[in-house]
Amino acid sequence: MAHLDWSETPKTPLVVNGVTLEYRCHGPAPDQAPTIVMLHEGLGCAALWREFPAKVAARTGMGVLVYSRQGYGQSDPVDLPRPLDFMTREAVEVLPHVLDRAGISRCILFGHSDGATIAAIYGGSVEDFRVRGLILMAPHFFTEEMGLAEIAKAKEVFETTDMQQRMAKYHRDPEGAFRGWNDVWLDPGFKAWNVGEVIDYLRIPVLAIQGRDDQYGTLAQIEEIETRSYAPVDTVILEDCKHAPHLEQPELTLDAVAEFAARLERIEAAEVVPA
C-alpha cells in the first residue's frame, strides 16, 4: 500500500528529514502500477505543473506523484543561502526518502530544468533499482553565459515588477523561493558548476526533451547526454518552443512521454521469464 494519501488533495503529510513537503497524486497508487515522479523547475512547485500531471497519468496509465521541494509551493521554507551544490544534495539526501515515503516500487523520474538535473544526478549517483528510466526536460549539466544572462534578467524583473506578488499565488515564501534559486545561479562561484560526470554512470534509458529556442540552455546540454551516456538515449527537440515544453508544446511533449513510458513497460514485460 502507498504510504501517502494517494489523491489530488491529500490529507496525510509528506515529511522528509523533518521537513513537510506539499504533494499531489494522480492515477493509480504505487501498489497498482508504476509511478512517474515529477520534479519541478527552479521556480516551480506542484501547482505550477498545472494540468499536465493528470494528463500524463491518463495517457500512460501510471500513477503520478508531484511534490514541491523545500522552499517552494506550500512546502516548509528553506534557510538561505542555499549551498552551491543544492541540486546534488536534493538528489542524494531528499529524493530517496520521498520515494520511500511514497511506497514506490517501480518508477520513472521526470524532471524539468533544475528538476531534470536532480533526476539525472540521482540516476547517476544512487543505486536504486526502483528507478527504471529518466525523462529529462530542459536539463542543465553546466552553466552557459546565455542562460546566466537570462537569470540575471529574471532578478531585475523580480526587483522592479509585481513578480513577487504573482509568485505569492503559488509559493508560501515567494522571496525565499526566488532567492534560493537566483542567488545560487548568479553566485560567481557557480560559473564553474558542472555535474556532467553523472551521465557517465547512467545505466537506465533516458528521454531528453528540449525546446529549440530554450532561453536558459542550448542544445549542448542535450548533446552532453547523447555523447556521454552508455545507456539508451532518445531525444526530442521541439520547434517553436522555449524552456517549458509541457506548457508550450503540451501535446508533443505528452506524446513523447507516453511513448517512452510504454516502451519501458514493453521492455519490462519482455524481461520477465516464467518460472
Side-chain angles (χ1 to χ4, degrees):
M1 294 292 292
H3 301 184
L4 302 180
D5 178 5
W6 199 266
S7 73
E8 295 182 34
T9 55
K11 302 296 187 294
T12 303
L14 168 57
V15 181
V16 173
N17 300 331
V19 175
T20 299
L21 303 177
E22 173 190 28
Y23 72 98
R24 301 178 184 184
C25 307
H26 305 269
D31 61 335
Q32 300 169 357
T35 307
I36 297 176
V37 180
M38 299 181 70
L39 310 172
H40 63 75
E41 63 178 321
L43 291 182
C45 63
L48 283 170
W49 283 106
R50 304 189 190 281
E51 71 278 5
F52 195 72
K55 290 184 175 181
V56 169
R59 277 288 300 273
T60 63
M62 296 182 177
V64 174
L65 169 65
V66 298
Y67 71 97
S68 301
R69 297 191 293 276
Q70 184 180 9
Y72 297 101
Q74 303 308 309
S75 293
D76 284 350
V78 69
D79 292 331
L80 299 180
R82 287 185 183 270
L84 299 189
D85 64 345
F86 75 96
M87 285 181 270
T88 295
R89 294 190 187 203
E90 184 74 28
V92 174
E93 299 175 5
V94 179
L95 185 52
H97 300 296
V98 171
L99 302 184
D100 291 343
R101 299 291 186 276
I104 286 173
S105 57
R106 279 197 297 148
C107 71
I108 297 170
L109 299 182
F110 179 177
H112 175 215
S113 193
D114 285 11
T117 304
I118 292 166
I121 293 171
Y122 192 89
S125 303
V126 179
E127 186 177 57
D128 187 343
F129 296 109
R130 295 174 296 184
V131 179
R132 307 304 177 91
L134 302 176
I135 300 174
L136 308 179
M137 186 166 67
H140 308 288
F141 296 102
F142 46 84
T143 60
E144 296 180 276
E145 286 300 324
M146 51 84 75
L148 295 176
E150 286 295 323
I151 293 170
K153 288 181 186 177
K155 179 180 181 181
E156 182 178 354
V157 171
F158 184 82
E159 294 175 345
T160 60
T161 71
D162 66 345
M163 182 177 177
Q164 181 169 346
Q165 287 71 39
R166 288 184 284 114
M167 286 181 62
K169 296 177 182 178
Y170 301 98
H171 298 282
R172 173 175 162 187
D173 178 13
E175 182 165 10
F178 185 84
R179 298 294 181 191
W181 166 75
N182 195 263
D183 289 357
V184 170
W185 277 90
L186 295 183
D187 188 297
F190 199 68
K191 284 191 175 183
W193 173 81
N194 189 314
V195 293
E197 73 278 358
V198 301
I199 302 170
D200 301 339
Y201 297 95
L202 296 178
R203 295 296 183 269
I204 51 178
V206 176
L207 169 63
I209 304 172
Q210 184 153 326
R212 189 174 295 279
D213 303 318
D214 192 325
Q215 69 272 39
Y216 288 105
T218 70
L219 294 179
Q221 305 288 342
I222 302 300
E223 292 165 3
E224 191 82 352
I225 308 172
E226 293 177 315
T227 57
R228 296 185 72 153
S229 177
Y230 287 90
V233 177
D234 293 330
T235 61
V236 175
I237 308 303
L238 297 170
E239 305 296 335
D240 300 317
C241 184
K242 293 184 177 181
H243 190 60
H246 63 297
L247 301 178
E248 298 168 51
Q249 293 286 3
E251 292 308 315
L252 292 177
T253 303
L254 188 58
D255 288 345
V257 169
E259 181 181 339
F260 180 73
R263 188 161 70 252
L264 287 188
E265 283 297 274
R266 290 195 298 270
I267 293 171
E268 293 267 337
E271 290 179 350
V272 174
V273 179

